[in-house]
Amino acid sequence: MNGEGCRLQVLVCTLGAEGIRRVCASSHPEVDGVRYLVSWQQPDGHVDVPEEIKKRNDFEVVVSATRGLSRNRNVALDAASTPLVLISDDDVGYTAEGLERVLKAFEDRPETDLITMQYESSDNPKKYVHGEVDLRCNPRGYYATSIEIAFRLWRLRGAGIRFDERFGIGAEFIAGEEQILIDDALRAGMRCRYVPGVICRHDGSTTSDRHFYDPAYIATKGAVISRLFRLSWPFRMLTHALRNAGGGKPISRMAYLRAWLGGVARLRHGTK
């Protein structure tokens, strides 16, 4: 398959030799109109592209010496060249039906710029909404995971939107980059929708599951929510503290508030 007529690139981000092995072990079916762009961070020195990838004519690999997941996603965005892109990681598996579901979602909604969908997992704790949702009216409790996000590349570039490199694995704040991307898109006037439908598989826990009571994660939550809700974040902080701390939880409410406010302070004293 050559690049002509390609409508969708799956942007697979990975790091080092172990990461590229995960890419090779994951399912990436050949689908008309779909290509895979692997953004491979090699900060510790050059590693050759595996033969399994070299022999695929629907794969492209770009290499950088950078660190940090959001920085890697921005490298991938800069290298992307198709009308539609789908965010991915190195341990995500696809079926032809799932990728075709992404293409159809955009074909059926020509006015929509960004679409979030669903992933399946043996231990996915997420609860999804029934029916389509305009993300300007985000339902309570719903959040998008990065591997569920696809968008029209020209609209994102035209609005000057990129991943905030202060957020995400390997950055100052360990999560939250996908919520910030969607919020920035909405603020820029992009039309964003949640459309039910499974598009990929990812087994294993999320950052939130692994670190929910970790002060570093709570500080990240404080930084993210203060960036998203610049006036109402103090009220949200108190609500989160009442719900998630104290009363037998692994962290006291006072410690929760200190961690949250520490994240807000670090964000406010940053460069952006």
Side-chain angles (χ1 to χ4, degrees):
M1 180 192 300
N2 58 35
E4 294 180 7
C6 182
R7 293 175 289 159
L8 171 69
Q9 274 180 311
V10 182
L11 306 187
V12 182
C13 288
T14 194
L15 169 69
E18 183 179 345
I20 204 70
R21 285 194 288 271
R22 286 195 293 270
V23 175
C24 294
S26 298
S27 173
H28 299 96
E30 293 189 31
V31 178
D32 285 342
V34 177
R35 291 178 63 84
Y36 303 92
L37 173 63
V38 181
S39 183
W40 187 10
Q41 290 177 316
Q42 297 186 9
D44 299 319
H46 176 74
V47 182
D48 289 335
V49 176
E51 288 300 321
E52 298 98 308
I53 290 179
K54 285 182 180 178
K55 69 184 182 183
R56 292 279 299 262
N57 61 8
D58 57 347
F59 265 74
E60 177 185 352
V61 179
V62 293
V63 175
S64 74
T66 62
R67 289 185 185 271
L69 181 56
S70 286
R71 189 165 294 167
N72 201 7
R73 295 211 194 284
N74 284 336
V75 170
L77 286 176
D78 290 340
S81 58
T82 53
L84 303 173
V85 297
L86 172 63
I87 301 300
S88 185
D89 285 327
D90 55 21
D91 53 355
V92 177
Y94 294 93
T95 63
E97 293 78 13
L99 293 170
E100 288 163 355
R101 196 168 285 133
V102 177
L103 292 169
K104 188 168 188 335
F106 282 95
E107 288 169 5
D108 291 347
R109 299 162 185 83
E111 77 293 344
T112 303
D113 304 311
L114 182 150
I115 291 176
T116 66
M117 300 186 76
Q118 298 172 302
Y119 76 93
E120 64 179 358
S121 170
S122 58
D123 48 8
N124 181 5
K126 288 185 67 171
K127 290 182 170 55
Y128 291 102
V129 229
H130 296 293
E132 292 191 27
V133 174
D134 186 329
L135 293 182
R136 290 176 298 181
C137 308
N138 203 54
R140 181 182 177 86
Y142 171 74
Y143 63 95
T145 304
S146 58
I147 59 174
E148 300 169 333
I149 301 172
F151 47 82
R152 299 187 193 275
L153 180 61
W154 67 272
R155 282 289 288 128
L156 200 80
R157 283 181 175 166
I161 295 171
R162 297 169 66 78
F163 282 93
D164 189 328
E165 294 180 1
R166 298 170 298 175
F167 295 85
I169 295 169
E172 180 178 5
F173 301 106
I174 61 175
E177 72 279 8
E178 55 273 268
Q179 291 98 324
I180 289 170
L181 181 86
I182 293 172
D183 186 72
D184 287 348
L186 289 167
R187 289 175 189 272
M190 290 176 61
R191 291 155 293 189
C192 307
R193 296 190 70 79
Y194 162 75
V195 177
V198 172
I199 60 173
C200 61
R201 182 174 186 87
H202 176 267
D203 291 316
S205 59
T206 65
T207 301
S208 173
D209 297 330
R210 294 191 301 272
H211 301 288
F212 192 81
Y213 292 108
D214 185 332
Y217 180 75
I218 297 165
T220 291
K221 189 185 295 186
V224 171
I225 291 182
S226 71
R227 191 187 186 288
L228 299 183
F229 304 100
R230 296 172 190 183
L231 297 178
S232 65
W233 69 263
F235 305 101
R236 295 172 186 272
M237 175 184 67
L238 294 173
T239 300
H240 279 253
L242 288 170
R243 183 186 305 136
N244 299 318
K249 302 287 197 318
I251 188 170
S252 72
R253 289 186 178 129
M254 188 58 67
Y256 192 98
L257 291 171
R258 279 199 301 267
W260 184 298
L261 289 170
V264 175
R266 282 160 49 203
L267 182 70
R268 296 291 170 86
H269 288 94
T271 57
K272 185 176 177 181

Short mmCIF file of all heavy atoms in Angstrom, two decimals, residues 1-10 28-36 56-58 82 84 95-104 107:
data_model
loop_
_atom_site.label_atom_id
_atom_site.label_comp_id
_atom_site.label_asym_id
_atom_site.label_seq_id
_atom_site.Cartn_x
_atom_site.Cartn_y
_atom_site.Cartn_z
N MET A 1 0.86 -1.19 0.00
CA MET A 1 0.00 0.00 0.00
C MET A 1 0.89 1.23 0.00
O MET A 1 1.80 1.35 0.80
CB MET A 1 -0.87 0.01 1.26
CG MET A 1 -1.81 1.21 1.34
SD MET A 1 -2.53 1.35 2.99
CE MET A 1 -3.38 -0.21 3.11
N ASN A 2 0.66 2.17 -0.92
CA ASN A 2 1.40 3.43 -0.88
C ASN A 2 0.55 4.48 -0.18
O ASN A 2 -0.56 4.23 0.26
CB ASN A 2 1.81 3.87 -2.29
CG ASN A 2 0.61 4.05 -3.21
OD1 ASN A 2 -0.45 4.47 -2.78
ND2 ASN A 2 0.79 3.72 -4.48
N GLY A 3 1.09 5.70 -0.09
CA GLY A 3 0.39 6.73 0.66
C GLY A 3 -0.75 7.38 -0.09
O GLY A 3 -1.54 8.13 0.49
N GLU A 4 -0.87 7.11 -1.41
CA GLU A 4 -1.92 7.76 -2.19
C GLU A 4 -3.28 7.24 -1.76
O GLU A 4 -3.50 6.05 -1.60
CB GLU A 4 -1.70 7.48 -3.68
CG GLU A 4 -0.42 8.12 -4.24
CD GLU A 4 -0.24 7.83 -5.70
OE1 GLU A 4 -1.16 7.25 -6.31
OE2 GLU A 4 0.82 8.18 -6.24
N GLY A 5 -4.20 8.16 -1.57
CA GLY A 5 -5.55 7.79 -1.18
C GLY A 5 -5.69 7.43 0.29
O GLY A 5 -6.75 7.01 0.72
N CYS A 6 -4.62 7.60 1.05
CA CYS A 6 -4.69 7.29 2.48
C CYS A 6 -5.53 8.35 3.18
O CYS A 6 -5.32 9.54 3.01
CB CYS A 6 -3.29 7.24 3.07
SG CYS A 6 -3.28 6.80 4.81
N ARG A 7 -6.49 7.90 3.98
CA ARG A 7 -7.38 8.83 4.67
C ARG A 7 -7.09 8.96 6.16
O ARG A 7 -7.42 9.96 6.77
CB ARG A 7 -8.84 8.37 4.49
CG ARG A 7 -9.33 8.46 3.04
CD ARG A 7 -10.73 7.87 2.92
NE ARG A 7 -10.71 6.42 3.07
CZ ARG A 7 -11.76 5.67 3.40
NH1 ARG A 7 -12.92 6.25 3.67
NH2 ARG A 7 -11.66 4.35 3.50
N LEU A 8 -6.48 7.93 6.74
CA LEU A 8 -6.29 7.89 8.19
C LEU A 8 -4.90 7.38 8.52
O LEU A 8 -4.46 6.35 8.00
CB LEU A 8 -7.33 6.96 8.82
CG LEU A 8 -7.16 6.62 10.31
CD1 LEU A 8 -7.43 7.85 11.18
CD2 LEU A 8 -8.09 5.47 10.71
N GLN A 9 -4.21 8.11 9.40
CA GLN A 9 -2.96 7.62 9.98
C GLN A 9 -3.19 7.34 11.47
O GLN A 9 -3.76 8.18 12.17
CB GLN A 9 -1.83 8.64 9.83
CG GLN A 9 -1.09 8.54 8.50
CD GLN A 9 0.01 9.57 8.40
OE1 GLN A 9 -0.21 10.75 8.66
NE2 GLN A 9 1.19 9.14 7.99
N VAL A 10 -2.73 6.18 11.90
CA VAL A 10 -2.74 5.82 13.32
C VAL A 10 -1.38 6.24 13.87
O VAL A 10 -0.35 5.72 13.45
CB VAL A 10 -2.97 4.31 13.50
CG1 VAL A 10 -3.02 3.95 14.99
CG2 VAL A 10 -4.26 3.88 12.81
N HIS A 28 -1.94 -4.84 14.01
CA HIS A 28 -2.09 -3.69 13.11
C HIS A 28 -2.49 -4.21 11.73
O HIS A 28 -1.64 -4.41 10.87
CB HIS A 28 -0.78 -2.89 13.01
CG HIS A 28 -0.31 -2.33 14.31
ND1 HIS A 28 0.62 -2.96 15.10
CD2 HIS A 28 -0.67 -1.20 14.97
CE1 HIS A 28 0.84 -2.24 16.19
NE2 HIS A 28 0.07 -1.18 16.14
N PRO A 29 -3.77 -4.45 11.51
CA PRO A 29 -4.21 -5.04 10.23
C PRO A 29 -4.02 -4.09 9.06
O PRO A 29 -4.03 -2.87 9.23
CB PRO A 29 -5.70 -5.31 10.48
CG PRO A 29 -6.10 -4.31 11.51
CD PRO A 29 -4.91 -4.15 12.40
N GLU A 30 -3.83 -4.66 7.89
CA GLU A 30 -3.79 -3.86 6.67
C GLU A 30 -5.22 -3.52 6.26
O GLU A 30 -6.05 -4.40 6.08
CB GLU A 30 -3.09 -4.62 5.55
CG GLU A 30 -1.61 -4.84 5.82
CD GLU A 30 -0.88 -5.40 4.62
OE1 GLU A 30 -1.28 -5.09 3.48
OE2 GLU A 30 0.10 -6.15 4.81
N VAL A 31 -5.48 -2.21 6.14
CA VAL A 31 -6.83 -1.72 5.82
C VAL A 31 -6.69 -0.66 4.75
O VAL A 31 -5.84 0.23 4.84
CB VAL A 31 -7.50 -1.11 7.09
CG1 VAL A 31 -8.87 -0.55 6.75
CG2 VAL A 31 -7.59 -2.15 8.20
N ASP A 32 -7.53 -0.74 3.72
CA ASP A 32 -7.50 0.27 2.66
C ASP A 32 -7.72 1.65 3.25
O ASP A 32 -8.65 1.87 4.03
CB ASP A 32 -8.59 -0.01 1.62
CG ASP A 32 -8.23 -1.19 0.72
OD1 ASP A 32 -7.04 -1.55 0.67
OD2 ASP A 32 -9.16 -1.75 0.08
N GLY A 33 -6.85 2.59 2.87
CA GLY A 33 -7.01 3.96 3.33
C GLY A 33 -6.40 4.26 4.68
O GLY A 33 -6.52 5.38 5.17
N VAL A 34 -5.72 3.26 5.29
CA VAL A 34 -5.16 3.42 6.64
C VAL A 34 -3.66 3.13 6.61
O VAL A 34 -3.21 2.16 5.98
CB VAL A 34 -5.84 2.48 7.66
CG1 VAL A 34 -5.19 2.63 9.03
CG2 VAL A 34 -7.33 2.78 7.73
N ARG A 35 -2.89 3.98 7.27
CA ARG A 35 -1.46 3.75 7.47
C ARG A 35 -1.12 3.97 8.94
O ARG A 35 -1.89 4.59 9.68
CB ARG A 35 -0.61 4.69 6.59
CG ARG A 35 -0.69 4.37 5.11
CD ARG A 35 0.11 5.35 4.27
NE ARG A 35 1.54 5.30 4.58
CZ ARG A 35 2.39 4.42 4.05
NH1 ARG A 35 1.95 3.51 3.20
NH2 ARG A 35 3.67 4.45 4.37
N TYR A 36 0.06 3.45 9.33
CA TYR A 36 0.53 3.58 10.71
C TYR A 36 1.81 4.42 10.71
O TYR A 36 2.75 4.13 9.97
CB TYR A 36 0.82 2.20 11.30
CG TYR A 36 -0.38 1.28 11.29
CD1 TYR A 36 -0.60 0.41 10.22
CD2 TYR A 36 -1.31 1.30 12.33
CE1 TYR A 36 -1.71 -0.42 10.19
CE2 TYR A 36 -2.43 0.46 12.30
CZ TYR A 36 -2.62 -0.40 11.23
OH TYR A 36 -3.72 -1.22 11.20
N ARG A 56 6.58 -3.93 6.16
CA ARG A 56 5.21 -3.44 6.00
C ARG A 56 5.24 -2.15 5.19
O ARG A 56 5.87 -1.17 5.59
CB ARG A 56 4.58 -3.18 7.37
CG ARG A 56 4.32 -4.41 8.22
CD ARG A 56 3.06 -5.11 7.81
NE ARG A 56 1.87 -4.31 7.94
CZ ARG A 56 1.02 -4.36 8.98
NH1 ARG A 56 1.26 -5.19 9.98
NH2 ARG A 56 -0.05 -3.61 8.99
N ASN A 57 4.53 -2.11 4.07
CA ASN A 57 4.50 -0.87 3.27
C ASN A 57 3.42 0.10 3.73
O ASN A 57 3.26 1.16 3.13
CB ASN A 57 4.36 -1.17 1.78
CG ASN A 57 3.06 -1.91 1.46
OD1 ASN A 57 2.19 -2.07 2.32
ND2 ASN A 57 2.94 -2.37 0.23
N ASP A 58 2.69 -0.26 4.81
CA ASP A 58 1.72 0.67 5.37
C ASP A 58 2.23 1.26 6.69
O ASP A 58 1.46 1.86 7.44
CB ASP A 58 0.36 0.00 5.57
CG ASP A 58 0.43 -1.24 6.46
OD1 ASP A 58 1.54 -1.74 6.72
OD2 ASP A 58 -0.65 -1.72 6.89
N THR A 82 -2.19 12.90 6.65
CA THR A 82 -3.48 12.43 6.14
C THR A 82 -4.61 13.30 6.68
O THR A 82 -4.45 14.00 7.68
CB THR A 82 -3.72 10.98 6.57
OG1 THR A 82 -3.55 10.89 8.00
CG2 THR A 82 -2.73 10.05 5.90
N LEU A 84 -7.26 12.49 8.32
CA LEU A 84 -7.68 12.06 9.65
C LEU A 84 -6.51 11.41 10.38
O LEU A 84 -5.69 10.72 9.75
CB LEU A 84 -8.82 11.04 9.56
CG LEU A 84 -10.08 11.46 8.81
CD1 LEU A 84 -11.02 10.27 8.66
CD2 LEU A 84 -10.78 12.62 9.52
N THR A 95 -8.46 -4.02 14.96
CA THR A 95 -9.08 -4.88 13.96
C THR A 95 -9.45 -4.01 12.77
O THR A 95 -9.57 -2.78 12.90
CB THR A 95 -10.35 -5.56 14.49
OG1 THR A 95 -11.32 -4.54 14.79
CG2 THR A 95 -10.06 -6.37 15.74
N ALA A 96 -9.62 -4.64 11.63
CA ALA A 96 -10.05 -3.89 10.45
C ALA A 96 -11.39 -3.21 10.71
O ALA A 96 -11.61 -2.06 10.33
CB ALA A 96 -10.14 -4.82 9.24
N GLU A 97 -12.29 -3.91 11.41
CA GLU A 97 -13.62 -3.35 11.67
C GLU A 97 -13.53 -2.10 12.53
O GLU A 97 -14.25 -1.12 12.31
CB GLU A 97 -14.49 -4.40 12.37
CG GLU A 97 -14.84 -5.61 11.52
CD GLU A 97 -13.72 -6.62 11.41
OE1 GLU A 97 -12.73 -6.51 12.18
OE2 GLU A 97 -13.81 -7.51 10.54
N GLY A 98 -12.65 -2.11 13.52
CA GLY A 98 -12.50 -0.95 14.38
C GLY A 98 -11.99 0.26 13.64
O GLY A 98 -12.49 1.38 13.83
N LEU A 99 -10.99 0.07 12.79
CA LEU A 99 -10.44 1.20 12.02
C LEU A 99 -11.45 1.71 11.00
O LEU A 99 -11.57 2.92 10.77
CB LEU A 99 -9.14 0.77 11.34
CG LEU A 99 -8.00 0.47 12.32
CD1 LEU A 99 -6.83 -0.17 11.60
CD2 LEU A 99 -7.55 1.72 13.06
N GLU A 100 -12.19 0.80 10.38
CA GLU A 100 -13.23 1.22 9.44
C GLU A 100 -14.34 1.99 10.16
O GLU A 100 -14.96 2.89 9.59
CB GLU A 100 -13.79 0.00 8.71
CG GLU A 100 -12.79 -0.55 7.68
CD GLU A 100 -13.12 -1.97 7.23
OE1 GLU A 100 -14.08 -2.56 7.80
OE2 GLU A 100 -12.42 -2.48 6.34
N ARG A 101 -14.56 1.65 11.43
CA ARG A 101 -15.55 2.37 12.23
C ARG A 101 -15.14 3.83 12.43
O ARG A 101 -15.97 4.73 12.43
CB ARG A 101 -15.71 1.66 13.57
CG ARG A 101 -16.95 2.05 14.36
CD ARG A 101 -17.17 1.10 15.52
NE ARG A 101 -17.68 -0.17 15.07
CZ ARG A 101 -17.21 -1.36 15.45
NH1 ARG A 101 -16.21 -1.44 16.30
NH2 ARG A 101 -17.74 -2.48 14.98
N VAL A 102 -13.84 4.07 12.59
CA VAL A 102 -13.36 5.45 12.70
C VAL A 102 -13.62 6.21 11.40
O VAL A 102 -14.14 7.33 11.41
CB VAL A 102 -11.85 5.47 13.03
CG1 VAL A 102 -11.33 6.91 13.06
CG2 VAL A 102 -11.57 4.79 14.36
N LEU A 103 -13.26 5.60 10.27
CA LEU A 103 -13.48 6.26 8.98
C LEU A 103 -14.96 6.57 8.77
O LEU A 103 -15.31 7.68 8.33
CB LEU A 103 -12.96 5.36 7.86
CG LEU A 103 -11.44 5.16 7.79
CD1 LEU A 103 -11.09 4.04 6.81
CD2 LEU A 103 -10.75 6.45 7.40
N LYS A 104 -15.81 5.62 9.08
CA LYS A 104 -17.25 5.82 8.87
C LYS A 104 -17.79 6.91 9.79
O LYS A 104 -18.67 7.69 9.38
CB LYS A 104 -18.01 4.52 9.08
CG LYS A 104 -19.49 4.63 8.68
CD LYS A 104 -20.14 3.27 8.63
CE LYS A 104 -21.54 3.29 8.05
NZ LYS A 104 -22.27 4.55 8.14
N GLU A 107 -17.05 10.05 8.02
CA GLU A 107 -17.81 10.14 6.77
C GLU A 107 -19.26 10.52 7.04
O GLU A 107 -19.86 11.31 6.31
CB GLU A 107 -17.77 8.80 6.03
CG GLU A 107 -16.41 8.49 5.41
CD GLU A 107 -16.33 7.04 4.94
OE1 GLU A 107 -17.37 6.34 5.02
OE2 GLU A 107 -15.26 6.62 4.49
#
